[in-house]
Amino acid sequence: MIRFGIDLGGSKIEIVGLGADGRERFRRRVPTPQDDYQAVLDVIAGLVAAAESSVGERGTVGIGTPGSVSRATGLLRGSNSTCLNGKPIRADLAQRLGREVRVANDADCFALSEATDGSGAGADTVLGVILGTGVGAGIVVRGRVLIGANAIAGEWGHNPMPWPEEGERPGPPCFCGLTGCIETFLSGPGLEREHLRGTGQALTAPEIALAAATGDAGCEVSLAGYERRLARALAHVINILDPDVIVLGGGLSNMRRLYDRVPRLWGDWVFSDRVDNRLVAHRHGDSSGVRGAAWLWDDDGH
Ligand SMILES: [Zn+2]
């Protein structure tokens, strides 16, 4: 059997077809139509038709996208592609494609991909954390995405930065309406803002990482501060969920030093005499969203 996964993002829509062994049999990427819900549905239906005609087989369809489908109403909310918000995207696609369709948050799909055949494979509980333009997370327990009563399980980026230190309270305003959310510190823009505040230098996150690697003292201070915040933010989750593996994804996860330094720090806040949680880099990178969407269906179509 074949599983199709679709990553529905603000700028592109990508489809992948995975065989039962997880190997890719089809992949295509197209730009996302802007501000036109019906056009988005048309593009997705067209991609599935093209994929099925290419592989000569009908498959299951899973969709990963920012935001979540409300359990109460079946409508998507919280998407940065605002034309999708308030729309019954799951029902509309099921009708277009003539089959049940699963829709999940993109961070949940990332976590599911890494838990299925990525860096968290074989672990009982996996927390998948995205550190990019935004900050989000998904939780997979024994191979299944944890959805939650409100379908928001893992939305940790909008909790406050725990154990706040000098200068972190009340913290920067967040688009969600609160201040000092974890996302405002641990996103790429958050690192850049803190670096500007500390040094007066306007650098991008990759520039800060590069300069720190070549001995720039100001950038080193900014990254050390970032690592300390990430350690506190993850210690808070460890105290609640205690995941076996924490997989990092998103642009900032490419800073290799995080995997060594953060676990050396987080013990100060974890309520345990030893900390055995593993912090690892993603295996499938940018492909995890689309692969995880495919894995929303299991082998026997459940
Ligand atoms: Zn927020």
Side-chain angles (χ1 to χ4, degrees):
M1 71 163 275
I2 187 155
R3 299 171 170 87
F4 295 109
I6 293 166
D7 185 8
L8 169 54
S11 59
K12 50 109 188 154
I13 302 176
E14 185 165 24
I15 185 168
V16 72
L18 298 185
D21 57 358
R23 284 219 199 111
E24 272 184 40
R25 292 175 55 193
F26 184 86
R27 180 186 280 262
R28 185 171 292 176
R29 177 186 283 205
V30 297
T32 306
Q34 298 301 304
D35 303 320
D36 187 344
Y37 176 63
Q38 291 301 328
V40 168
L41 298 181
D42 289 343
V43 165
I44 292 173
L47 284 172
V48 172
E52 293 192 326
S53 110
S54 167
V55 302
E57 206 181 328
R58 189 177 161 91
T60 55
V61 176
I63 314 255
T65 193
S68 61
V69 172
S70 163
R71 283 194 153 184
T73 64
L75 306 178
L76 191 76
R77 67 236 155 118
S79 175
N80 50 359
S81 294
T82 49
C83 76
L84 305 179
N85 286 327
K87 298 292 197 305
I89 189 164
R90 185 172 56 206
D92 284 344
L93 282 172
Q95 200 207 358
R96 293 261 187 138
L97 298 171
R99 76 201 81 175
E100 193 190 335
V101 170
R102 291 197 176 146
V103 179
N105 174 264
D106 53 354
D108 288 347
C109 289
F110 168 76
L112 182 58
S113 167
E114 293 296 331
T116 303
D117 64 354
S119 298
D124 197 58
T125 305
V126 175
L127 177 75
V129 172
I130 305 277
L131 302 171
T133 314
V135 170
I139 300 163
V140 173
V141 181
R142 292 176 203 114
R144 295 245 171 187
V145 174
L146 193 67
I147 305 288
N150 302 296
I152 59 159
E155 286 288 0
W156 149 92
H158 298 280
N159 282 4
M161 178 57 66
W163 301 284
E165 298 183 346
E166 192 69 30
E168 290 179 353
R169 286 322 249 158
C174 184
F175 79 88
C176 73
L178 300 174
T179 54
C181 292
I182 285 170
E183 175 167 298
T184 67
F185 292 103
L186 296 184
S187 62
L191 170 60
E192 290 159 9
R193 188 207 54 243
E194 286 300 300
H195 183 70
L196 179 63
R197 196 164 67 102
T199 65
Q201 283 178 314
L203 296 181
T204 65
E207 286 167 347
I208 296 166
L210 194 64
T214 53
D216 181 281
C219 291
E220 176 57 39
V221 168
S222 296
L223 277 199
Y226 182 89
E227 285 155 1
R228 192 170 165 81
R229 291 185 180 120
L230 181 57
R232 279 184 274 142
L234 291 177
H236 194 217
V237 182
I238 290 171
N239 284 344
I240 297 166
L241 185 68
D242 207 6
D244 299 284
V245 178
I246 300 172
V247 187
L248 301 185
L252 294 165
S253 72
N254 296 320
M255 296 194 289
R256 304 299 310 176
R257 52 186 279 168
L258 298 181
Y259 304 97
D260 174 47
R261 300 198 186 195
V262 171
R264 281 201 239 152
L265 298 170
W266 64 19
D268 285 358
W269 303 281
V270 173
F271 188 66
S272 171
D273 59 337
R274 52 181 290 160
V275 187
D276 289 326
N277 317 77
R278 288 194 294 128
L279 183 68
V280 297
H282 57 80
R283 175 165 169 210
H284 295 298
D286 284 349
S287 292
S288 257
V290 72
R291 293 181 63 89
W295 292 124
L296 290 170
W297 292 90
D298 68 19
D299 283 336
D300 8 298
H302 292 292

